[in-house]
Amino acid sequence: MAFLLAQGLTGLASAASLFLVASGLSIIFGVTRVVNFAHGSFYMIGAYLAYTLTERLSGPLGFWGGVLLAAAIVAVFGALIELVLLRRLTRAPELFQLLATFGVTLIVQDAVVAVWGPEDLVGRRAPGLTGAVEIAGQLVPAYDLFLIALGPLVLVLLHLIFRRTRFGVLVRAATQDREMIAALGVNQKWLFTGVFALGAFLAGLGGALQLPRDAVSHLMDMHIIVEAFVVVVIGGLGSVTGAFVAALVVAQLNAFGILAFPTISMVTVFLVMAVVLVVRPYGLFGMPQSHQRVDTAVTARPWRRFNTPERIMVTLLILAAATLPWVLDDYALTVAAEILIMMLFATSVHLLMSVGGIAPFGHAVFFGLGGYGAAFAAKLFGASMVVALFSGPVLAALGAIAFGWFCVRLSGVYFAMLTLAFAQIIWSIAFQWVGVTGGDNGIIGIWPEGFASSPQGFYSLAFVLCVGGAMLLRMIVLSPFGYTLRALRDASMRAESIGVNRIAQQWFAFVLAGGFAGLAGALFVYLKGSVFPENLGVGMSIDGLVMVLLGGVETISGAMVGAIVYKALSIWLLSFTDLSKLVLGVLIVSLVVVFPKGIVGSLEILRERLMQRMPKLYF
């Protein structure tokens, strides 16, 4: 019992930092509706700045002053991000701001390595809290007890801010109905800036306070952002009290899960998240979001088929791509095959995100299931490459059938988070079920056979399947089924009132998208010769979203163009510079500012403007 008590206290201490980060994320999303992937970067910057400041400032005052100063600097950084970058994107598609924050994340990841180095940094112990306190025969660090007391104190302070100040009242009002406070004359721009600064301060403070407990690492941002999203979803979007309770739940699950369920300890947190989303989609303490009116004439440009000149151009591009085996060397062909695979994956994301209007934050689960399906068929059952490539999308489609039944009953951010929960559950199983999946060692030795064993042959196979799959998805988009999905996206209530079954139509689209993603995943396994849990991870899901957003979420061909540009830049920069993430992040942020509708969307607008300015010819 004494050991369990000590373990519980350790969990409570971890909950304090997690609550600080998650409360800031919840406040930012609740008011601005920005899915801020850079929030983990705020946490990481706070930790690194606290390390530098506490090392240079001596004494207790220097340590605690350094912690607060680090959080304040992060708050200023967060406000600048909102002012300089996100404010420019207010008229862009809402999820386009996700792309901007992802670019910031890439920049920060390489920037901290350039400034502080790649090694983990161990900070000072907190002055006056370096010892331990004996509780029930177990020694508990005094600093952990300080964090346990700090969590409720911060909760009370935030409660007072939101209940007793004008700023807090506006924040609560904006969380419930942004359109109403705008109609009442509230300056939303400065409110959003203040909210971003507050959220960044809390994240930076959470990172700085972790300094005496954990080493500072340049990988800590992705770990904390996933847990923070889990806490926000369980607690309820925009609810600080919900974030506090959910942080306690998640921290205790992490503390005791390893003891009670050692083989599936990583699954428990995401399983709880999935159950909460299914039973109470808006979280334990959240409230249903007010319906936001959308002017589809503004947010979505009419889609059409290629005209004759465009067909000719696309045909020439496809023929040019088909001739690459006779032009490029083996390495270049391998890179080209990987770009084609990512293009098919991005196109499958596009079917849900752009056509269906539902953004999957965990779509990589089907990419990974396709890879594991092919690997199981080849290694466990000795199947041929053809059978394995067929098994991958079948397993992915079966997973989509199961997960989609739950997911399509939700919409908006709740749908996105439930897909993330299912993806993380499968990722956790793949990571911990070592006997079947190989764990983090993966399954290796899966190589192409026959004509596909050469780089030229495999590229040709990938070209046929990926280009064919992408064109088939384009045909689906422009089919009656595609029009039905778009009707549900633009006016769900009207579509259902004329007899359209929303759940059935979106479920079918979910399965289609999962199957095509599974095909891409199966091809990827044969390209790399192996499959790892990372194929199912958050990073791959984010890549899919980024490719669609970069190309243009309101276009048909944007996913293809975005995948080609993003993947080509990623691979080229990786071989060109050690700061490839920083350069790629700068390029993404620049593209976001220059092309606020995505590459293809902005080019379409430019073409229309040029056509309007051309002098009319009269005969």
Side-chain angles (χ1 to χ4, degrees):
M1 288 299 296
F3 172 74
L4 293 178
L5 176 61
Q7 191 76 356
L9 292 174
T10 300
L12 290 176
S14 299
S17 291
L18 184 56
F19 163 64
L20 289 173
V21 180
S23 61
L25 182 64
S26 182
I27 294 167
I28 288 175
F29 182 85
V31 175
T32 68
R33 295 295 185 266
V34 173
V35 182
N36 182 25
F37 270 105
H39 205 70
S41 299
F42 297 157
Y43 172 85
M44 180 169 65
I45 294 173
Y48 272 106
L49 287 175
Y51 172 82
T52 299
L53 292 170
T54 55
E55 289 294 319
R56 297 193 177 186
L57 302 175
S58 60
L61 185 61
F63 179 88
W64 296 110
V67 168
L68 293 175
L69 182 58
I73 294 173
V74 174
V76 174
F77 177 67
L80 288 175
I81 292 296
E82 200 282 330
L83 281 169
V84 176
L85 181 59
L86 297 179
R87 187 171 292 187
R88 294 173 177 266
L89 304 176
T90 53
R91 296 187 178 182
E94 198 167 78
L95 277 175
F96 209 70
Q97 295 167 339
L98 178 153
L99 180 58
T101 60
F102 176 71
V104 173
T105 299
L106 293 178
I107 293 171
V108 171
Q109 284 179 346
D110 267 5
V112 296
V113 173
V115 175
W116 285 280
E119 296 84 10
D120 291 357
L121 303 177
V122 179
R124 289 171 53 192
R125 302 291 297 276
L129 299 172
T130 57
V133 178
E134 184 175 347
I135 299 179
Q138 295 287 324
L139 292 178
V140 179
Y143 189 74
D144 282 5
L145 297 177
F146 164 75
L147 290 179
I148 292 172
L150 180 65
L153 177 61
V154 173
L155 175 64
V156 171
L157 289 176
L158 290 175
H159 179 80
L160 292 175
I161 290 173
F162 292 140
R163 296 288 176 178
R164 301 296 178 87
T165 67
R166 184 175 186 273
F167 172 76
V169 172
L170 292 178
V171 168
R172 289 191 292 118
T175 302
Q176 295 300 316
D177 196 331
R178 288 191 302 171
E179 291 183 349
M180 182 58 70
I181 67 166
L184 293 174
V186 175
N187 189 330
Q188 289 195 44
K189 292 181 179 180
W190 289 112
L191 177 63
F192 290 178
T193 303
V195 165
F196 237 87
L198 175 60
F201 176 85
L202 291 170
L205 182 61
L209 289 172
Q210 280 295 99
L211 188 62
R213 299 187 79 229
D214 297 318
V216 182
S217 166
H218 64 280
L219 301 176
M220 61 194 304
D221 58 337
M222 290 305 296
H223 173 74
I224 194 66
I225 192 63
V226 174
E227 284 200 338
F229 272 123
V230 172
V231 169
V232 170
V233 170
I234 293 177
L237 298 172
S239 172
V240 175
T241 303
F244 180 78
V245 173
L248 294 177
V249 172
V250 170
Q252 293 303 323
L253 285 173
N254 287 332
F256 289 102
I258 191 69
L259 301 176
F261 310 102
T263 58
I264 58 168
S265 58
M266 301 175 72
V267 178
T268 53
V269 171
F270 301 106
L271 189 60
V272 170
M273 175 182 172
V275 170
V276 169
L277 281 170
V278 170
V279 176
R280 188 179 170 86
Y282 39 88
L284 298 178
F285 291 84
M287 298 181 65
Q289 293 183 8
S290 60
H291 178 67
Q292 301 293 325
R293 296 176 59 187
V294 179
D295 187 353
T296 56
V298 174
T299 60
R301 302 176 64 81
W303 290 350
R304 58 177 178 79
R305 301 179 186 275
F306 289 135
N307 56 33
T308 301
E310 290 170 340
R311 288 195 190 97
I312 294 173
M313 182 179 67
V314 170
T315 302
L316 291 175
L317 289 174
I318 292 175
L319 290 176
T323 62
L324 291 183
W326 291 274
V327 178
L328 302 180
D329 58 23
D330 290 352
Y331 173 74
L333 280 176
T334 302
V335 171
E338 184 172 352
I339 292 173
L340 287 174
I341 292 170
M342 289 299 106
M343 182 186 72
L344 179 59
F345 175 58
T347 309
S348 70
V349 177
H350 173 272
L351 180 64
L352 295 179
M353 188 173 176
S354 298
V355 186
I358 44 179
F361 282 10
H363 200 64
V365 65
F366 307 118
F367 184 86
L369 283 175
Y372 275 104
F376 290 154
K379 300 296 287 187
L380 299 182
F381 302 103
S384 66
M385 179 180 175
V386 174
V387 175
L389 286 178
F390 177 76
S391 302
V394 168
L395 180 61
L398 291 175
I401 291 173
F403 301 152
W405 191 86
F406 297 97
C407 292
V408 297
R409 283 162 169 74
L410 306 179
S411 60
V413 69
Y414 306 118
F415 168 88
M417 291 303 175
L418 186 55
T419 62
L420 176 63
F422 282 129
Q424 289 301 104
I425 289 172
I426 301 301
W427 173 84
S428 302
I429 293 173
F431 191 85
Q432 292 192 298
W433 199 3
V434 179
V436 176
T437 65
D440 58 346
N441 294 319
I443 302 174
I444 61 176
I446 310 163
W447 298 109
E449 304 169 357
F451 81 97
S453 58
S454 66
Q456 293 78 12
F458 186 81
Y459 173 83
S460 300
L461 175 65
F463 174 80
V464 172
L465 293 178
C466 294
V467 174
M471 296 308 294
L472 180 58
L473 281 169
R474 179 183 173 87
M475 292 172 59
I476 291 173
V477 169
L478 295 171
S479 70
F481 173 66
Y483 282 105
T484 302
L485 288 178
R486 288 154 63 186
L488 290 168
R489 176 198 68 189
D490 297 337
S492 178
M493 295 180 65
R494 291 184 182 181
E496 290 184 275
S497 69
I498 61 174
V500 177
N501 189 327
R502 181 188 67 83
I503 292 178
Q505 298 292 328
Q506 291 185 344
W507 191 12
F508 184 60
F510 196 87
V511 175
L512 275 178
F516 279 102
L519 176 59
L523 285 168
F524 190 75
V525 167
Y526 275 100
L527 174 70
K528 299 296 184 180
S530 56
V531 60
F532 296 95
E534 286 75 14
N535 294 33
L536 299 149
V538 176
M540 184 64 71
S541 293
I542 294 175
D543 283 350
L545 297 172
V546 167
M547 289 184 284
V548 175
L549 291 166
L550 186 62
V553 71
E554 297 175 352
T555 65
I556 302 180
S557 305
M560 302 180 197
V561 175
I564 294 171
V565 172
Y566 176 73
K567 201 61 189 179
L569 282 174
S570 300
I571 296 173
W572 180 72
L573 289 172
L574 191 62
S575 60
F576 178 74
T577 175
D578 292 334
L579 299 176
S580 58
K581 290 183 179 179
L582 188 149
V583 178
L584 181 60
V586 170
L587 289 174
I588 288 176
V589 171
S590 302
L591 288 172
V592 165
V593 174
V594 176
F595 302 113
K597 294 290 186 179
I599 296 174
V600 176
S602 297
L603 290 177
E604 286 183 353
I605 294 174
L606 179 61
R607 184 191 62 178
E608 290 184 4
R609 289 177 179 175
L610 291 175
M611 293 293 292
Q612 291 173 358
R613 292 181 181 180
M614 289 178 62
K616 295 183 179 180
L617 299 179
Y618 296 93
F619 296 94

